[in-house]
Amino acid sequence: MHIAQRMQRLGTETAFLVLAKAKALEAQGKHVVHLEIGEPDFDTPVNIKTAAKKALDDGFTHYGPAPGLPDLRAAIARHINERLGVSYTPNNVVVTPGGKPIMFFTILACVDEGDEVIYPNPGFPIYESVINFLGGKPVPLPLREEKEFRFDIGELKRLITPRTRMLIINSPQNPTGGILTREDLKEIAALAVAHDLIVLSDEIYARIVYDGFQHISIATMPGMAERTIILDGFSKTFAMTGWRLGFGVMPEELARLVAQLQINSNSCTASFSQVAAIEALTGSQQEVTRMVAEFKRRRDVIVEGLNAIPGFRCHRPLGAFYVFPSIVGTGKSSKFLAEYLLNEAGVACLSGTAFGAFGEGFLRFSYANSVENIVIALDRVRKAVAAL
Ligand SMILES: Cc1ncc(COP(=O)(O)O)c(C=O)c1O
């Protein structure tokens, strides 16, 4: 079969490949602690599941409008306005099957062939994959461990050229758990306005934050609402990865085009899922608070445990549910160590390079697993590293 040339430019998300490898080891009888995949281990809160069941009984089993059910778009606009202090309308919102399609659709709609897109590296691998696939030029912006995985604004400035069309930011960040400060966002916004850049702001971890950190959106900065796409969703905050529910908030003109891309691909997001999403946003938030508190407890256990392993150095992140320790002190490459830990210690984690070239020297552990399992994993890693 002929395969189109462009497929050679398509990347992937290594987490799914490592998950498959870990499952194959489990099928052979080996015990594996899963710290590779970025999904909450909690069940979706009961009130949301009940709303979905009722929606099925109420007949929400048909196609819905391409940009999303009007009631959900309104609930999202209200929720974002209240949380961020902005003034979006439902016309700014497009509901998609997960947050991921917002990356694909907005890059497709905004980036011409040869346009440059600056993106964080290490960063979510789909940014680079989609930029490449759609004919843009990916320009990596290195995140610095010494800056707690923020980037250097001077470095960003130097990467901007007349061909730069878009800047992607992600705070709290995958894979490092790093956050951007208000000062960072102000400076980034000033650059975006001065150079007429579109900013794709991936805020999917906005509500998973610790130690009193308050998430701030770049969309709130002067001149930014008209050039920002907020990517958010239900997967992480409400433990709803399998429901495939996300959304983008963006200028109306772009929202219309993204809805048209949706008509050309998914048609719409599942209708009963969308009804449940209204309950997620407007119902009790007690479970979200509980899950975040539990993530914090796990973060503290894993950060302390990793820092006690010779050769490891782990920053304490303020958001998301990932840690990104430096393993330079072990003298091994990231890829070697990730494979070694899976095969020899039964601990699945990801090589920092799964998130781009600047991830060399690091591993990513997702702590969306129980404290008991994290403790087992830490013990295994410590023994395996000592045996190197
Ligand atoms: C930074 C980031 N953005 C977006 C997504 C996509 O989430 P989903 O499509 O499941 O809503 C993920 C998932 O891992 C992520 O880590």
Side-chain angles (χ1 to χ4, degrees), residues 98-100 103 124 127 170 174 202 204-205 235-236 244:
K100 240 182 202 176
M103 296 170 201
F124 191 55
Y127 307 142
N170 173 211
N174 178 6
D202 186 338
I204 201 133
Y205 297 102
S235 295
K236 318 286 178 175
R244 308 314 299 134

Side-chain angles (χ1 to χ4, degrees), residues 183-206:
E183 272 315 301
D184 291 332
L185 293 171
K186 263 193 202 160
E187 292 186 78
I188 298 165
L191 284 173
V193 171
H195 296 274
D196 194 20
L197 308 182
I198 297 164
V199 175
L200 172 55
S201 181
D202 186 338
E203 303 181 14
I204 201 133
Y205 297 102

Side-chain angles (χ1 to χ4, degrees), residues 118-136:
I118 301 176
Y119 68 101
N121 188 320
F124 191 55
I126 300 306
Y127 307 142
E128 184 181 306
S129 167
V130 172
I131 300 162
N132 256 325
F133 185 62
L134 298 176

